[in-house]
Amino acid sequence: MTSAGKTERRRRMPRADREQQMMTVAEAVFAERGYAASSMDEIAERVGVSKPMLYEYFGSKEGLLVACIRQVRAELHDLTAEAVIDARSPEDALRKGLITFFRFTDEHRRSWDLLLRTEAAVVGQAAVEEIEAVRQEQTKLHIALFSAYMPDADARSLEAAAEILVGACERLSVWYVRHDDVTPEEAAEHIMRMTWFGLRGEVTGHLDHSE
């Protein structure tokens, strides 16, 4: 097939599919080499497109990184939110959310590694803000969960509890991905033991007070 024919075939791919293909390859390259050592030339070569096409879609290497992180953020948010819909109790909801989180890090190690290894010193502000947005989105989900069972609780206390939980999950996930013999359920139980003991008293107290 001539180069013109190959170019025409590439153009037939819908933009959304091409964009997804680029992000999938970029995510793999960023995870393998780290952001600083990754090049748009290598990403373009692996995708099978020209480097100018990458810039046309994402503007810059940082723009491509931000797009990858944003996709991870959206998937993690949707999975976590869906996991707690049919929870039978606050404890069940928290456990389901935690198991989903660790299952996500297990099944999407490249995505999670991308977030954990992206250092502020080597990326631009947009990428730093997108990574923080992942944390804040998880914090908001936890606050919403706590508020559903403790509607009269102090807002600042709920926010602090959510931040603690997100920080604990992030750090334990670093340990978790290094231990192939630990299941998502076991990792979730580690967090439950450290956090639910304190939260249980708050939840029970508010539920008793409302009766």
Side-chain angles (χ1 to χ4, degrees):
M1 182 180 289
T2 66
S3 59
K6 292 179 180 178
T7 300
E8 181 61 30
R9 186 176 64 181
R10 287 199 298 266
R11 286 175 179 169
R12 291 197 193 105
M13 181 180 285
R15 182 180 179 90
D17 293 344
R18 175 66 70 192
E19 185 174 290
Q20 180 61 55
Q21 181 189 36
M22 291 174 175
M23 287 191 293
T24 299
V25 171
E27 179 187 318
V29 174
F30 288 146
E32 289 169 14
R33 304 192 182 283
Y35 176 75
S38 299
S39 72
M40 294 290 267
D41 289 293
E42 180 179 1
I43 295 170
E45 183 178 353
R46 289 200 194 185
V47 175
V49 300
S50 66
K51 186 165 71 171
M53 182 177 287
L54 279 181
Y55 283 101
E56 177 187 338
Y57 274 66
F58 300 101
S60 65
K61 186 169 81 166
E62 184 188 2
L64 180 52
L65 175 64
V66 168
C68 290
I69 296 171
R70 189 170 291 140
Q71 179 170 260
V72 173
R73 171 187 171 189
E75 185 174 358
L76 180 58
H77 173 274
D78 291 347
L79 288 172
T80 306
E82 290 171 8
V84 302
I85 290 176
D86 61 347
R88 301 181 301 274
S89 67
E91 180 178 0
D92 185 44
L94 182 57
R95 182 174 283 108
K96 284 178 180 293
L98 290 172
I99 291 173
T100 298
F101 169 79
F102 285 108
R103 191 168 290 153
F104 176 87
T105 65
D106 192 37
E107 296 174 353
H108 302 270
R109 287 179 181 239
R110 289 191 313 188
S111 301
W112 194 246
D113 192 52
L114 175 62
L115 291 178
L116 297 180
R117 290 176 53 195
T118 302
E119 301 176 2
V122 296
V123 301
Q125 187 62 30
V128 172
E129 290 175 355
E130 195 64 35
I131 292 171
E132 179 59 23
V134 176
R135 298 185 180 104
Q136 290 303 313
E137 200 156 68
Q138 289 297 298
T139 298
K140 289 177 181 177
L141 278 173
H142 288 309
I143 291 173
L145 173 62
F146 298 157
S147 298
Y149 294 99
M150 298 180 285
D152 300 323
D154 176 68
R156 181 168 294 183
S157 295
L158 293 184
E159 184 178 324
E163 292 282 7
I164 291 169
L165 190 56
V166 169
C169 287
E170 183 172 323
R171 288 307 307 166
L172 191 64
S173 71
V174 176
W175 171 85
Y176 170 69
V177 297
R178 295 199 303 262
H179 293 78
D180 293 335
D181 58 334
V182 178
T183 67
E185 290 77 12
E186 289 169 340
E189 285 307 312
H190 283 298
I191 298 291
M192 290 295 292
R193 284 196 295 270
M194 294 295 102
T195 61
W196 178 244
F197 180 77
L199 289 170
R200 180 175 56 192
E202 290 291 329
V203 173
T204 302
H206 281 278
L207 290 178
D208 290 343
H209 187 267
S210 64
E211 292 177 354

